[in-house]
Coordinates of all heavy atoms in Angstrom, one line a residue:
M406 N 0.8 -1.2 0.0 CA 0.0 0.0 0.1 C 0.9 1.2 0.1 O 1.9 1.3 0.7 CB -0.9 0.0 1.3 CG -1.6 1.3 1.4 SD -2.7 1.4 2.9 CE -4.1 0.6 2.2
K407 N 0.5 2.2 -0.7 CA 1.3 3.4 -0.9 C 0.9 4.4 0.3 O -0.5 4.7 0.4 CB 1.1 4.1 -2.2 CG 1.9 5.3 -2.5 CD 2.0 5.6 -3.8 CE 2.6 7.1 -3.9 NZ 3.9 7.1 -4.7
C408 N 1.7 5.0 0.9 CA 1.4 5.9 2.0 C 0.9 7.2 1.4 O 1.6 7.8 0.5 CB 2.7 6.1 2.9 SG 2.4 7.4 4.3
S409 N -0.2 7.8 1.9 CA -0.7 9.1 1.4 C -0.4 10.2 2.4 O -1.0 11.3 2.3 CB -2.2 8.9 1.3 OG -2.8 8.6 2.5
H410 N 0.5 10.0 3.3 CA 0.9 11.0 4.4 C 2.1 11.5 4.3 O 2.6 12.2 5.1 CB 0.7 10.3 5.8 CG -0.7 9.8 6.0 ND1 -1.0 8.5 5.6 CD2 -1.9 10.4 6.4 CE1 -2.5 8.3 5.8 NE2 -2.8 9.4 6.4
L411 N 2.9 11.3 3.1 CA 4.3 11.7 3.2 C 4.4 13.3 3.1 O 5.4 13.9 3.5 CB 4.9 11.3 1.7 CG 5.0 9.8 1.5 CD1 5.5 9.5 0.1 CD2 5.9 9.1 2.7
N412 N 3.3 13.9 2.8 CA 3.2 15.4 2.8 C 3.3 15.9 4.3 O 3.4 17.2 4.6 CB 2.1 16.0 2.1 CG 0.7 15.6 2.8 OD1 0.7 14.6 3.5 ND2 -0.3 16.4 2.4
Q413 N 3.1 15.1 5.4 CA 3.1 15.6 6.7 C 4.6 15.3 7.3 O 4.8 15.6 8.5 CB 2.1 14.6 7.5 CG 0.7 15.0 7.0 CD -0.4 14.4 7.9 OE1 -0.2 14.3 9.1 NE2 -1.4 13.9 7.3
I414 N 5.6 14.8 6.6 CA 6.8 14.7 7.2 C 7.5 16.0 7.2 O 7.6 16.7 6.1 CB 7.8 13.8 6.2 CG1 7.2 12.3 6.2 CG2 9.2 13.8 6.6 CD1 7.9 11.4 5.3
K415 N 8.0 16.3 8.3 CA 8.8 17.7 8.4 C 10.2 17.5 8.8 O 10.6 16.5 9.2 CB 8.1 18.5 9.5 CG 6.6 18.8 9.2 CD 6.0 19.5 10.4 CE 4.6 19.8 9.9 NZ 3.7 20.2 11.2
D416 N 11.0 18.5 8.5 CA 12.5 18.4 8.9 C 12.5 18.6 10.4 O 12.6 19.8 10.9 CB 13.3 19.4 8.1 CG 14.8 19.3 8.4 OD1 15.2 18.4 8.9 OD2 15.4 20.4 8.2
V417 N 12.6 17.6 11.3 CA 12.5 17.6 12.7 C 13.9 17.2 13.4 O 14.5 16.4 12.7 CB 11.4 16.8 13.2 CG1 10.0 17.4 12.9 CG2 11.4 15.4 12.9
N418 N 14.2 17.7 14.4 CA 15.3 17.3 15.3 C 14.7 16.6 16.5 O 13.6 17.0 17.1 CB 16.1 18.3 15.7 CG 16.8 19.1 14.6 OD1 17.5 18.3 13.7 ND2 16.7 20.4 14.5
P419 N 15.3 15.5 17.0 CA 14.8 14.8 18.1 C 14.8 15.8 19.3 O 15.8 16.5 19.6 CB 15.7 13.7 18.4 CG 16.4 13.5 17.1 CD 16.4 14.8 16.3
K420 N 13.7 15.8 20.0 CA 13.5 16.6 21.2 C 14.3 16.3 22.4 O 14.7 17.0 23.4 CB 12.0 16.8 21.7 CG 11.1 17.5 20.6 CD 9.7 17.5 21.2 CE 8.8 18.2 20.2 NZ 7.4 18.4 20.7
T421 N 14.5 15.0 22.5 CA 15.4 14.3 23.7 C 16.3 13.3 23.1 O 16.2 12.8 21.9 CB 14.4 13.7 24.5 OG1 13.6 12.7 24.0 CG2 13.5 14.6 25.4
S422 N 17.3 12.9 23.9 CA 18.2 11.8 23.5 C 17.7 10.4 23.7 O 18.3 9.4 23.4 CB 19.5 12.1 24.2 OG 19.4 11.9 25.6
G423 N 16.4 10.2 24.4 CA 15.8 9.0 24.7 C 14.4 9.1 24.6 O 14.0 10.2 24.4
C424 N 13.6 8.1 25.1 CA 12.3 8.2 25.1 C 11.8 9.3 26.0 O 12.2 9.2 27.2 CB 11.6 6.9 25.4 SG 9.9 6.9 25.7
E425 N 11.0 10.3 25.6 CA 10.7 11.4 26.3 C 10.0 10.9 27.7 O 10.3 11.4 28.8 CB 9.7 12.3 25.8 CG 10.4 13.1 24.7 CD 9.4 14.1 24.0 OE1 8.7 14.8 24.7 OE2 9.5 14.4 22.8
E426 N 9.1 10.1 27.6 CA 8.2 9.7 28.8 C 9.1 8.7 29.8 O 8.9 8.8 30.9 CB 7.0 8.9 28.3 CG 6.0 9.9 27.6 CD 6.2 10.1 26.1 OE1 7.1 9.5 25.5 OE2 5.4 10.9 25.5
C427 N 9.8 7.8 29.2 CA 10.7 7.0 30.0 C 11.8 7.6 30.6 O 12.1 7.4 31.8 CB 11.3 5.9 29.0 SG 10.1 4.6 28.5
L428 N 12.3 8.8 30.0 CA 13.3 9.5 30.7 C 12.7 10.3 31.9 O 13.4 10.3 32.9 CB 13.9 10.7 29.8 CG 14.8 10.1 28.7 CD1 15.2 11.3 27.7 CD2 16.2 9.6 29.4
K429 N 11.5 10.6 31.8 CA 10.8 11.4 33.0 C 10.4 10.4 34.1 O 10.6 10.7 35.3 CB 9.5 12.0 32.5 CG 9.7 13.2 31.7 CD 8.3 13.8 31.2 CE 8.7 15.0 30.1 NZ 7.5 15.3 29.5
S430 N 10.0 9.1 33.8 CA 9.7 8.2 34.7 C 10.7 7.2 35.2 O 10.7 6.4 36.1 CB 8.6 7.1 34.0 OG 9.1 6.4 33.1
G431 N 12.0 7.4 34.6 CA 13.0 6.4 35.0 C 13.0 5.2 34.4 O 13.8 4.3 34.9
D432 N 12.3 4.8 33.4 CA 12.0 3.5 32.8 C 13.1 3.2 31.8 O 13.7 4.2 31.3 CB 10.6 3.3 32.2 CG 10.0 2.0 32.5 OD1 10.8 1.1 32.6 OD2 8.8 1.8 32.5
N433 N 13.1 2.1 31.2 CA 13.9 1.7 30.1 C 13.3 1.5 28.8 O 12.1 1.2 28.9 CB 14.7 0.5 30.4 CG 15.6 0.7 31.7 OD1 16.3 1.5 31.9 ND2 15.5 -0.4 32.6
W434 N 14.0 1.4 27.7 CA 13.4 1.3 26.4 C 14.3 0.3 25.6 O 15.4 0.0 26.0 CB 13.1 2.4 25.6 CG 14.4 3.2 25.4 CD1 15.3 3.0 24.4 CD2 14.9 4.3 26.2 NE1 16.2 4.0 24.5 CE2 16.0 4.8 25.7 CE3 14.3 5.0 27.3 CZ2 16.8 5.8 26.1 CZ3 15.1 6.0 27.9 CH2 16.1 6.5 27.3
V435 N 13.7 -0.4 24.6 CA 14.5 -1.3 23.7 C 15.1 -0.6 22.6 O 16.3 -0.6 22.4 CB 13.6 -2.5 23.2 CG1 14.3 -3.3 22.3 CG2 13.0 -3.3 24.3
E436 N 14.3 0.2 21.8 CA 14.7 1.0 20.7 C 13.9 2.3 20.6 O 12.8 2.3 21.2 CB 14.5 0.2 19.3 CG 15.5 -0.9 19.2 CD 15.3 -1.7 17.8 OE1 14.7 -1.1 17.0 OE2 16.0 -2.7 17.8
L437 N 14.3 3.2 19.9 CA 13.6 4.5 19.9 C 13.1 4.8 18.5 O 13.6 4.4 17.5 CB 14.6 5.6 20.2 CG 15.2 5.5 21.7 CD1 16.3 6.6 21.9 CD2 14.1 5.7 22.7
R438 N 11.9 5.6 18.4 CA 11.3 6.0 17.3 C 11.1 7.6 17.2 O 10.8 8.2 18.2 CB 9.9 5.5 17.0 CG 9.9 3.9 17.1 CD 10.6 3.2 15.9 NE 10.6 1.8 16.0 CZ 11.7 1.1 16.1 NH1 12.9 1.5 16.3 NH2 11.6 -0.2 16.2
L439 N 11.3 8.2 16.1 CA 11.2 9.6 15.9 C 10.0 10.0 15.2 O 9.8 9.5 14.1 CB 12.4 10.2 15.3 CG 12.6 11.7 14.9 CD1 12.5 12.5 16.1 CD2 13.6 12.1 14.1
C440 N 9.1 10.9 15.8 CA 7.9 11.3 15.1 C 8.4 12.4 14.1 O 9.1 13.4 14.4 CB 7.0 12.0 16.0 SG 5.5 12.7 15.3
L441 N 8.0 12.1 12.8 CA 8.4 12.9 11.8 C 7.6 14.2 11.5 O 7.7 15.0 10.7 CB 8.7 12.1 10.4 CG 9.8 11.1 10.4 CD1 10.0 10.4 9.1 CD2 11.1 11.9 10.9
S442 N 6.5 14.4 12.5 CA 5.6 15.6 12.3 C 6.1 16.5 13.5 O 6.1 17.8 13.2 CB 4.2 15.1 12.8 OG 3.7 14.4 11.7
C443 N 6.7 16.1 14.7 CA 7.0 17.0 15.7 C 8.3 16.8 16.4 O 8.7 17.7 17.2 CB 5.8 17.1 16.8 SG 5.8 15.6 17.7
G444 N 9.0 15.7 16.1 CA 10.3 15.5 16.8 C 10.2 14.8 18.1 O 11.2 14.5 18.7
H445 N 9.0 14.3 18.5 CA 8.9 13.5 19.7 C 9.8 12.2 19.6 O 9.7 11.5 18.5 CB 7.4 13.1 19.9 CG 7.2 12.1 21.1 ND1 7.2 10.8 20.9 CD2 7.1 12.4 22.4 CE1 6.9 10.3 22.0 NE2 6.8 11.2 23.1
V446 N 10.4 11.8 20.7 CA 11.1 10.5 20.7 C 10.3 9.6 21.6 O 10.2 9.9 22.7 CB 12.6 10.7 21.2 CG1 13.3 9.4 21.1 CG2 13.3 11.7 20.2
G447 N 10.0 8.5 21.1 CA 9.3 7.6 21.8 C 9.9 6.1 21.7 O 10.6 5.9 20.8
C448 N 9.6 5.2 22.7 CA 10.1 3.9 22.6 C 9.2 3.0 21.7 O 8.2 3.4 21.5 CB 10.2 3.2 24.1 SG 8.7 3.3 25.1
C449 N 9.9 2.0 21.1 CA 9.2 1.1 20.2 C 8.1 0.0 20.9 O 8.0 0.1 22.0 CB 10.3 0.2 19.4 SG 11.0 -1.0 20.4
D450 N 7.6 -0.5 19.9 CA 6.5 -1.5 20.4 C 7.1 -2.7 21.1 O 6.3 -3.5 21.9 CB 5.6 -1.9 19.4 CG 4.6 -1.0 19.0 OD1 4.6 0.2 19.6 OD2 3.8 -1.1 18.0
S451 N 8.4 -3.0 21.0 CA 9.1 -4.1 21.8 C 9.4 -3.6 23.3 O 9.7 -4.4 24.1 CB 10.3 -4.5 21.2 OG 10.0 -5.0 19.8
S452 N 9.3 -2.3 23.4 CA 9.5 -1.8 24.9 C 8.1 -2.0 25.6 O 7.2 -1.9 25.1 CB 9.9 -0.2 24.8 OG 11.0 -0.2 23.9
R453 N 8.4 -2.0 26.9 CA 7.2 -2.2 27.8 C 6.1 -1.1 27.6 O 5.0 -1.4 27.6 CB 7.7 -2.3 29.2 CG 6.6 -2.4 30.2 CD 6.9 -2.5 31.6 NE 8.1 -1.5 32.0 CZ 9.0 -1.9 33.0 NH1 8.8 -2.9 33.7 NH2 10.0 -1.1 33.1
N454 N 6.6 0.1 27.5 CA 5.6 1.2 27.5 C 5.0 1.6 26.1 O 3.9 2.3 26.1 CB 6.3 2.5 28.1 CG 6.5 2.2 29.6 OD1 5.6 1.8 30.3 ND2 7.9 2.3 30.0
R455 N 5.7 1.3 25.1 CA 5.2 1.6 23.6 C 4.9 3.1 23.6 O 3.8 3.4 22.9 CB 4.1 0.7 23.4 CG 4.4 -0.8 23.5 CD 3.1 -1.7 23.3 NE 2.4 -1.3 22.1 CZ 1.7 -1.9 21.4 NH1 1.6 -3.2 21.6 NH2 1.1 -1.5 20.3
H456 N 5.6 3.9 24.0 CA 5.4 5.3 23.9 C 5.3 6.0 22.5 O 4.5 6.9 22.3 CB 6.4 6.3 24.7 CG 6.2 6.0 26.2 ND1 7.1 5.6 27.1 CD2 5.0 6.2 26.9 CE1 6.7 5.5 28.3 NE2 5.3 5.9 28.3
A457 N 6.0 5.5 21.5 CA 5.8 5.9 20.2 C 4.5 5.8 19.6 O 3.8 6.7 19.1 CB 6.8 5.3 19.2
T458 N 3.9 4.5 20.0 CA 2.6 4.2 19.4 C 1.5 5.1 20.3 O 0.5 5.5 19.7 CB 2.4 2.7 19.4 OG1 3.2 1.9 18.7 CG2 0.8 2.4 19.2
K459 N 1.7 5.2 21.5 CA 0.9 6.0 22.4 C 0.8 7.5 21.8 O -0.1 8.2 21.7 CB 1.2 5.9 23.8 CG 0.8 4.6 24.5 CD 1.3 4.5 25.9 CE 1.1 3.0 26.3 NZ 1.5 3.0 27.8
H460 N 2.0 8.0 21.4 CA 2.1 9.3 20.8 C 1.2 9.4 19.6 O 0.4 10.5 19.4 CB 3.6 9.6 20.6 CG 3.7 11.1 19.8 ND1 3.7 12.1 20.6 CD2 4.0 11.4 18.7 CE1 3.8 13.1 19.8 NE2 4.1 12.7 18.6
F461 N 1.4 8.4 18.8 CA 0.5 8.5 17.5 C -1.0 8.5 17.9 O -1.8 9.2 17.4 CB 0.8 7.3 16.6 CG -0.4 7.0 15.6 CD1 -0.5 7.9 14.6 CD2 -1.2 5.8 15.8 CE1 -1.6 7.6 13.8 CE2 -2.1 5.7 14.9 CZ -2.5 6.6 13.8
Q462 N -1.4 7.6 18.9 CA -2.8 7.5 19.3 C -3.2 8.7 19.9 O -4.5 9.1 19.6 CB -3.1 6.2 20.3 CG -2.7 4.9 19.7 CD -2.6 3.8 20.6 OE1 -2.3 4.0 21.8 NE2 -2.7 2.5 20.2
T463 N -2.5 9.5 20.5 CA -2.9 10.8 21.1 C -2.9 11.9 20.0 O -3.8 12.6 20.1 CB -1.9 11.2 22.2 OG1 -1.9 10.1 23.3 CG2 -2.3 12.5 22.8
T464 N -1.8 11.9 19.1 CA -1.7 13.2 18.3 C -2.2 12.9 16.9 O -2.4 13.9 16.1 CB -0.2 13.6 18.2 OG1 0.5 12.5 17.6 CG2 0.4 13.8 19.6
K465 N -2.2 11.7 16.5 CA -2.5 11.2 15.1 C -1.3 11.7 14.2 O -1.6 11.6 12.9 CB -3.7 11.8 14.6 CG -5.0 11.3 15.5 CD -5.1 9.8 15.6 CE -6.3 9.5 16.4 NZ -6.2 8.2 17.1
H466 N -0.1 12.0 14.6 CA 1.0 12.2 13.7 C 1.3 10.8 13.1 O 1.8 9.8 13.8 CB 2.2 12.7 14.6 CG 2.0 14.0 15.1 ND1 2.8 14.5 16.1 CD2 1.1 15.0 14.9 CE1 2.3 15.8 16.4 NE2 1.4 16.0 15.7
P467 N 1.3 10.7 11.8 CA 1.2 9.3 11.1 C 2.5 8.6 10.9 O 2.5 7.4 11.0 CB 0.7 9.7 9.7 CG 1.0 11.2 9.5 CD 1.1 11.8 10.8
I468 N 3.7 9.4 10.7 CA 5.0 8.7 10.3 C 5.9 8.8 11.4 O 6.3 9.9 11.8 CB 5.3 9.2 8.8 CG1 4.3 8.9 7.9 CG2 6.6 8.6 8.4 CD1 4.5 9.6 6.6
I469 N 6.6 7.8 11.7 CA 7.8 7.6 12.5 C 9.0 7.1 11.8 O 8.9 6.4 10.7 CB 7.6 6.8 13.8 CG1 7.3 5.2 13.2 CG2 6.5 7.3 14.6 CD1 7.3 4.3 14.4
K470 N 10.2 7.4 12.2 CA 11.5 6.8 11.7 C 12.2 6.1 12.8 O 12.2 6.6 14.0 CB 12.3 8.1 11.2 CG 13.6 7.7 10.7 CD 14.5 8.9 10.4 CE 15.8 8.6 9.9 NZ 16.6 7.5 10.4
A471 N 12.8 5.1 12.5 CA 13.6 4.4 13.6 C 14.9 5.2 13.6 O 15.5 5.7 12.7 CB 14.0 3.0 12.9
L472 N 15.3 5.3 14.9 CA 16.5 6.1 15.2 C 17.9 5.2 14.9 O 18.9 5.8 14.8 CB 16.5 6.7 16.5 CG 15.7 7.9 16.8 CD1 15.8 8.5 18.1 CD2 15.9 9.0 15.7
N473 N 17.7 3.9 14.9 CA 18.9 3.1 14.8 C 18.8 2.3 13.4 O 19.7 1.4 13.2 CB 19.1 2.2 15.8 CG 17.9 1.2 16.0 OD1 16.9 1.5 15.4 ND2 18.0 0.1 16.6
A474 N 18.0 2.7 12.6 CA 17.9 2.0 11.2 C 17.4 3.0 10.1 O 16.8 4.1 10.5 CB 17.1 0.8 11.5
D475 N 17.4 2.5 8.9 CA 16.9 3.3 7.8 C 15.6 3.0 7.3 O 15.5 2.4 6.3 CB 18.0 3.4 6.6 CG 17.8 4.4 5.6 OD1 17.1 5.4 6.1 OD2 18.1 4.1 4.5
W476 N 14.6 3.1 8.2 CA 13.2 2.9 7.7 C 12.2 3.9 8.3 O 12.6 4.4 9.4 CB 12.7 1.5 7.7 CG 12.8 1.0 9.2 CD1 13.8 0.2 9.8 CD2 11.9 1.0 10.2 NE1 13.6 -0.1 11.1 CE2 12.4 0.5 11.5 CE3 10.7 1.8 10.4 CZ2 11.6 0.3 12.7 CZ3 10.0 1.7 11.6 CH2 10.4 1.0 12.6
K477 N 11.1 4.0 7.6 CA 10.0 4.8 8.2 C 8.7 4.0 8.2 O 8.5 3.1 7.3 CB 9.8 6.0 7.3 CG 10.9 7.0 7.4 CD 10.8 8.2 6.4 CE 11.9 9.0 6.3 NZ 12.9 8.6 5.4
W478 N 7.9 4.3 9.1 CA 6.5 3.6 9.1 C 5.4 4.5 9.2 O 5.4 5.5 9.9 CB 6.5 2.7 10.5 CG 5.2 2.0 10.7 CD1 4.4 2.3 11.7 CD2 4.8 0.7 10.1 NE1 3.4 1.4 11.7 CE2 3.7 0.4 10.8 CE3 5.3 0.0 9.1 CZ2 2.8 -0.6 10.4 CZ3 4.6 -1.1 8.7 CH2 3.4 -1.4 9.3
C479 N 4.4 4.3 8.5 CA 3.1 5.0 8.6 C 2.0 4.3 9.5 O 1.6 3.1 9.0 CB 2.5 5.3 7.2 SG 1.1 6.3 7.4
Y480 N 1.7 4.8 10.6 CA 0.7 4.1 11.5 C -0.7 4.0 10.8 O -1.4 3.1 10.9 CB 0.5 4.8 12.7 CG 1.6 4.6 13.8 CD1 2.5 5.8 14.0 CD2 1.7 3.5 14.5 CE1 3.4 5.5 15.0 CE2 2.6 3.3 15.4 CZ 3.6 4.3 15.7 OH 4.5 4.1 16.6
V481 N -1.1 5.0 10.1 CA -2.4 5.1 9.5 C -2.4 4.0 8.3 O -3.5 3.3 8.4 CB -2.6 6.5 8.8 CG1 -3.9 6.5 8.2 CG2 -2.7 7.5 10.0
D482 N -1.5 4.1 7.4 CA -1.6 3.1 6.3 C -1.0 1.7 6.6 O -1.0 0.9 5.8 CB -0.9 3.6 5.1 CG -1.5 4.9 4.5 OD1 -2.8 4.9 4.4 OD2 -0.9 5.9 4.2
K483 N -0.4 1.7 7.8 CA 0.1 0.4 8.3 C 1.2 -0.2 7.3 O 1.2 -1.3 6.8 CB -0.9 -0.7 8.7 CG -1.6 -0.2 9.8 CD -2.7 -1.2 10.2 CE -3.5 -0.9 11.4 NZ -4.8 -0.6 11.3
S484 N 2.1 0.7 6.8 CA 3.1 0.2 5.9 C 4.4 1.1 6.0 O 4.3 2.2 6.6 CB 2.4 0.7 4.5 OG 2.4 1.9 4.2
Y485 N 5.5 0.5 5.5 CA 6.6 1.2 5.4 C 6.7 2.2 4.2 O 6.0 2.0 3.3 CB 7.8 0.2 5.1 CG 8.1 -0.7 6.4 CD1 7.6 -2.0 6.4 CD2 8.9 -0.3 7.5 CE1 7.7 -2.8 7.5 CE2 9.0 -1.1 8.5 CZ 8.6 -2.3 8.5 OH 8.7 -3.2 9.6
V486 N 7.4 3.3 4.5 CA 7.4 4.3 3.4 C 9.0 4.6 3.2 O 9.8 4.3 3.9 CB 6.8 5.6 4.0 CG1 5.3 5.3 4.1 CG2 7.2 6.2 5.2

């Protein structure tokens, strides 16, 4: 499926060096995801708290980028972009 949300990708910088919510609570994460709409850094779905997905559910910002790999994911279209 082709992603129809590419126009929502912005030139963002990570707001934090780790998962924003986990840093506040003192929790750990497995991998990090960068929101390409606002720069939020959240933990991946393999992490206990799944903050990147929770950020999408709250904000509806559609596309994330892996911080340690070269891929992007659209939550809305459920596809790599």
Side-chain angles (χ1 to χ4, degrees):
M406 172 181 272
K407 184 169 172 118
C408 175
S409 59
H410 302 91
L411 297 177
N412 63 338
Q413 296 187 40
I414 294 176
K415 297 180 181 159
D416 185 17
V417 298
N418 291 313
K420 291 182 178 179
T421 56
S422 60
C424 175
E425 288 187 42
E426 293 83 3
C427 287
L428 286 170
K429 290 176 186 171
S430 67
D432 217 338
N433 298 317
W434 57 84
V435 177
E436 292 183 11
L437 298 170
R438 307 292 182 245
L439 174 66
C440 174
L441 294 179
S442 292
C443 72
H445 173 270
V446 178
C448 54
C449 69
D450 284 356
S451 295
S452 302
R453 174 178 40 204
N454 296 304
R455 302 174 49 151
H456 286 124
T458 296
K459 289 178 182 176
H460 176 75
F461 162 70
Q462 292 167 341
T463 301
T464 64
K465 302 304 181 207
H466 294 164
I468 300 176
I469 57 166
K470 177 188 183 312
L472 284 182
N473 65 339
D475 189 26
W476 57 263
K477 298 175 183 79
W478 173 259
C479 178
Y480 282 109
V481 177
D482 294 322
K483 296 183 175 118
S484 66
Y485 290 98
V486 295

